[in-house]
Amino acid sequence: MPDVVETIAGLRSQLRLARVDAVSGGLGRPRVALVPTMGALHDGHLALVERAKERAEIVVVSIFVNPLQFGPSEDLALYPRTVESDVERLAAHGVQIVFAPTVGEIYPGGDLQTKITAGDIGSLYEGRSRRGHFDGVLTVVAKLLNIVRPDTVVFGEKDAQQVFLVKRMIADLNVDVDVAAVTTVREDDGLALSSRNRFLDPKQRRAARSLSIALEAASSSADRGIDSVIAAAQSVLTGDSTIELDYLAVVDPTTFLPVDDGAHGRALVLIAARVGETRLIDNVTVYLA
Ligand code: PAF
């Protein structure tokens, strides 16, 4: 079983021990990879763990439902908390250290005086619907990077805007860490794995498939340009009253700004929709002709 530590001091001492073990086992200076999560782990998270294991000898998985990235009307209280089964799954994947701090450990004294702001891109798409969300994400990621000091940090491509903003923060603040982004893991019918999928009832679960179908339609229309991409995705989504589209955007992956009409080359199609009470996001890379 992994060592489950709740305090920053405990985490640092476990890391020291793991480093000493690695050196005395003849491994030289071991690399450390961090997989930040909010728990409720699924196979998508385990794919991040597998990537972390390729990159490092010591893998730390953090499990922390970060209040700072939830708005007042969001599902913080309802967010699934399944630490025991999460730890079992991580044990089966050979994770050595799980960092599962309390809110008080990460935010002693409540609110922070100093926070990271995600800038203009942080208030588009997800950030427009979830004000302050990315400030909260970047602040906790910065704290976790400072606590763990990993060589590599691993994220999932499903949260494409999060990956973009984390990379920007790391570049802007000269943080010495590599970022690895792992391809989205999907159910057999295409639905991207998400901790929130468990909230879907059977009818909503069937409807949720439309997100990935819309993205497939967008991708197959890319050789006809951006208008066709949007029309193809919209036609899938508007056919289903269970789905309330939040945004559909085609962005340049290097800037995360919307692509211009007539743009060519690689682009990212982002989608967010509410299926009942559950908000889902997904994305696909397309090649505009
Ligand atoms: O992607 C998530 O689960 C969260 O946003 C993260 C990166 C763990 C920060 O709380």
Side-chain angles (χ1 to χ4, degrees):
M1 285 297 260
D3 291 303
V4 183
V5 283
E6 291 186 359
T7 63
I8 295 167
L11 185 266
R12 288 189 170 143
S13 108
Q14 283 304 327
L15 271 173
R16 260 193 307 275
L17 287 175
R19 283 196 171 103
V20 169
D21 277 0
V23 170
S24 54
L27 287 175
R29 178 195 166 276
R31 289 161 300 177
V32 176
L34 169 66
V35 181
T37 81
M38 297 207 299
L41 302 184
H42 49 65
D43 287 351
H45 294 110
L46 298 173
L48 308 185
V49 167
E50 288 305 315
R51 175 67 64 85
K53 282 162 63 182
E54 288 163 20
R55 294 282 190 106
E57 290 72 36
I58 301 172
V59 174
V60 178
V61 175
S62 62
I63 298 180
F64 179 63
V65 183
N66 173 33
L68 214 60
Q69 69 189 71
F70 288 78
S73 61
E74 292 185 341
D75 56 352
L76 173 63
L78 293 179
Y79 199 86
R81 287 157 171 90
T82 58
V83 177
E84 255 179 50
S85 58
D86 290 346
V87 170
E88 278 168 23
R89 300 198 76 179
L90 295 172
H93 282 257
V95 170
Q96 298 100 320
I97 303 177
V98 175
F99 180 46
T102 58
V103 173
E105 183 71 7
I106 297 296
Y107 302 116
D111 208 7
L112 298 175
Q113 187 69 234
T114 311
K115 290 180 193 150
I116 309 277
T117 60
D120 293 345
I121 303 296
S123 56
L124 299 175
Y125 325 114
E126 275 307 277
R128 177 167 298 152
S129 301
R130 306 184 66 190
R131 299 264 169 211
H133 169 68
F134 286 118
D135 297 356
V137 169
L138 294 188
T139 301
V140 82
V141 169
K143 282 172 78 74
L144 291 168
L145 292 175
N146 282 328
I147 292 166
V148 178
R149 303 208 160 226
D151 300 277
T152 300
V153 60
V154 188
F155 292 94
E157 281 179 356
K158 182 171 80 69
D159 298 300
Q161 193 177 3
Q162 169 169 283
V163 175
F164 177 86
L165 290 168
V166 167
K167 284 183 175 167
R168 277 300 296 264
M169 172 183 76
I170 283 168
D172 287 348
L173 301 184
N174 305 97
V175 185
D176 191 11
V177 68
D178 290 332
V179 180
V182 176
T183 312
T184 303
V185 179
R186 297 179 180 279
E187 301 280 6
D188 288 345
D189 66 359
L191 178 66
L193 296 194
S194 161
S195 304
R196 293 190 165 95
N197 290 352
R198 70 189 68 203
F199 295 132
L200 301 169
D201 69 24
K203 179 167 178 242
Q204 292 165 344
R205 171 63 188 80
R206 281 192 297 279
R209 216 199 137 208
S210 298
L211 271 79
S212 58
I213 297 177
L215 293 176
E216 278 165 28
S219 179
S220 335
S221 307
D223 55 354
R224 295 193 295 281
I226 178 171
D227 290 344
S228 302
V229 164
I230 290 177
Q234 259 166 354
S235 71
V236 173
L237 295 162
T238 47
D240 194 331
S241 60
T242 322
I243 294 192
E244 192 191 317
L245 181 63
D246 181 356
Y247 62 81
L248 174 65
V250 186
V251 306
D252 178 338
T254 63
T255 60
F256 242 77
L257 291 169
V259 297
D260 298 327
D261 280 349
H264 302 292
R266 202 159 77 91
L268 211 50
V269 183
L270 311 175
I271 202 166
R274 203 168 270 284
V275 185
E277 289 301 302
T278 307
R279 196 160 178 289
L280 300 176
I281 61 172
D282 201 351
N283 67 80
V284 72
T285 298
V286 299
Y287 294 89
L288 298 169

